């Protein structure tokens, strides 16, 4: 498998390119609109055809590149049915298996950061979007956020994965790129060491985070797969 | 590829089993609820795991087996986004590629019989549901039926396929099991020989068909993937 972790410095967003060497088919997880040329050049240099852009959710902090990639390369945009983005080409739900060449990804519905959040599970790794972050979690104070639901999602849908499953998040603001289920179950300060649901909800309530910088622009744009009227 | 065409005698409905010999994964196109045991035995005897049930549309003439198969085998139900059936696990749109093992199916949106009708295209064959029938077409007098739209769907989305593409319809009432794009372009009395859109609409308007026998039971049931309260 071809695997690249790509970072958008401005918003500390991670995107992921997964390619099948046998069929030359590929997917991009959470592509960022401003990085369009990077993706197109990379796909071309690796001789890959982009089949799907897989969104973990409707983002509030950057504009998705899924609509532009559809226009340029004919790829299809994948989102959870509850994400409320009618622009998506393929709407998925919990447990759906997606195959692209020899790549296999299972959709896990992990609501809490938003109601349409999913994680994409492969044999040895999981892409958790803004549900589970390294030493943290997605915020739950806007966009259908619900700390209790997020706790249930992480405990039941992610911490139930094999302990050595690699965790690839949607962001990191401290320069970490990858973790594992075992590390997060042990050391995540919000959820690790068997923290209770009540403790997690209390922690999330006390965060008092600033209003997200890009939300007023990003949310409406991402409900149209990032295609904004100029 | 393992391929079986299955008929439900009571409603003259064709269902199709497609299996990948390498991965032992399978899909069923338009399964019928009353045939559940047949499918389960067949899958078992062929050592196949059912991944998706692919619906060409929300049927008015029989009850789908997709919900029961999901309960028994964990398969996921696939429907077009416009089909209005919230029970579906995977909602697709025009041009989406679905892969199951080595099976590849491209979704073509072919509205007209209903607004959420699709055909599933493979390399050498197409499953047309109730859009294009052998020597006929789906009716257009209920359930968002629109003769003009159906004409456009068949001409633009199906008659544009390679001429030797096999046509496997959702029904046949004369005992035909398969046709080809070339045969339908030539001999279909409603659309063949270059019949115009206006001619097709006039033919459809004059059919004066009886009210469908099962529609009042089938439609609400199929909006719940065939799972009806007893």
């Amino acid at each position: 498998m071809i695997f690249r972790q790509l970072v958008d410095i401005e918003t500390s967003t991670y995107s992921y390119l997964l390619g099948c060497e046998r069929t030359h088919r590929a997917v991009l997880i959470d592509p960022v609109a401003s990085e369009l040329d990077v993706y197109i050049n990379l796909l071309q240099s690796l001789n890959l055809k982009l089949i799907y852009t897989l969104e973990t959710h409707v983002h509030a902090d950057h504009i998705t590149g899924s609509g532009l990639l559809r226009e340029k390369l004919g790829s299809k945009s994948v989102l959870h049915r509850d994400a409320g983005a009618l622009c998506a080409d393929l709407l998925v739900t919990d447990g759906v298996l997606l195959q692209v060449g020899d790549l296999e990804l299972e959709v896990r519905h992990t609501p809490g950061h938003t109601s349409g959040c999913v994680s994409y599970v492969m044999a040895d790794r999981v892409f958790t979007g803004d549900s589970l972050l390294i030493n943290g979690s997605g915020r739950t104070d806007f966009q259908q956020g619900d700390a209790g639901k997020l706790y249930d999602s992480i405990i039941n849908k992610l911490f139930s994965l094999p302990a050595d499953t690699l965790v690839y998040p949607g962001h990191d603001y401290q320069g970490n790129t990858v973790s594992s289920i075992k590390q997060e179950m042990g050391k995540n300060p919000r959820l690790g060491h068997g923290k209770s649901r009540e403790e997690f909800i209390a922690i999330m309530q006390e965060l008092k985070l600033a209003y997200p910088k890009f939300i007023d622009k990003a949310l409406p744009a991402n409900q149209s797969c990032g295609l904004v009227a100029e």
Side-chain angles (χ1 to χ4, degrees), chain A:
Chain A
M1 180 176 81
I2 294 164
F3 179 67
R4 298 288 180 96
Q5 183 175 31
L6 305 157
V7 60
D8 173 48
I9 302 289
E10 192 191 0
T11 59
S12 299
T13 299
Y14 287 130
S15 306
Y16 300 91
L17 173 69
L18 310 176
C20 166
E21 288 172 292
R22 184 176 65 84
T23 61
H24 301 282
R25 290 181 175 173
V27 302
L28 269 167
I29 298 175
D30 288 338
V32 178
S34 58
E35 301 292 300
L36 188 72
D37 292 343
V38 173
Y39 306 139
I40 291 175
N41 290 336
L42 189 57
L43 287 160
Q44 204 163 25
S45 73
L46 294 168
N47 189 27
L48 292 172
K49 179 172 169 52
L50 187 66
I51 304 295
Y52 298 147
T53 52
L54 302 173
E55 303 277 4
T56 55
H57 62 296
V58 172
H59 309 279
D61 47 20
H62 67 270
I63 293 179
T64 175
S66 64
L68 290 170
L69 286 162
R70 178 169 55 197
E71 282 183 359
K72 297 269 185 192
L73 305 178
S75 53
K76 300 296 181 181
S77 170
V78 180
L79 264 169
H80 190 272
R81 196 177 58 187
D82 296 349
L86 285 176
C87 65
D89 303 296
L90 191 56
L91 295 167
V92 295
T93 55
D94 189 65
V96 162
L97 180 72
L98 294 176
Q99 238 188 274
V100 172
D102 294 338
L103 308 171
E104 294 192 10
L105 300 110
E106 186 206 313
V107 175
R108 296 230 176 162
H109 189 203
T110 49
H113 172 62
T114 75
S115 56
C117 278
V118 299
S119 298
Y120 294 101
V121 178
M122 297 186 85
D124 65 346
R125 65 194 72 193
V126 57
F127 301 92
T128 55
D130 292 7
S131 297
L132 177 61
L133 301 179
I134 299 172
N135 294 325
S137 68
R139 56 197 288 182
T140 54
D141 55 338
F142 60 84
Q143 210 189 350
Q144 319 106 33
D146 183 316
K149 273 191 192 162
L150 183 55
Y151 182 88
D152 296 339
S153 292
I154 293 173
I155 299 296
N156 300 327
K157 300 282 185 69
L158 299 176
F159 283 2
S160 57
L161 290 167
D164 57 356
T165 305
L166 298 172
V167 172
Y168 284 105
H171 299 280
D172 195 89
Y173 306 95
Q174 275 81 42
N176 301 302
T177 61
V178 62
S179 175
S180 72
I181 292 296
K182 187 177 176 184
Q183 285 175 55
E184 296 312 313
M185 286 178 78
K187 298 192 172 164
N188 191 303
R190 296 188 191 167
L191 296 126
H193 266 311
K195 280 223 168 46
S196 73
R197 197 173 193 269
E198 289 63 38
E199 286 174 290
F200 180 73
I201 293 171
I203 290 169
M204 296 308 288
Q205 272 171 349
E206 279 158 32
L207 286 179
K208 303 197 190 350
L209 296 164
Y211 189 71
K213 219 174 5 170
F214 296 116
I215 189 169
D216 295 327
K217 204 171 159 186
L219 266 194
N222 289 333
Q223 277 152 357
S224 309
C225 290
L227 298 173
V228 274
E230 292 299 324

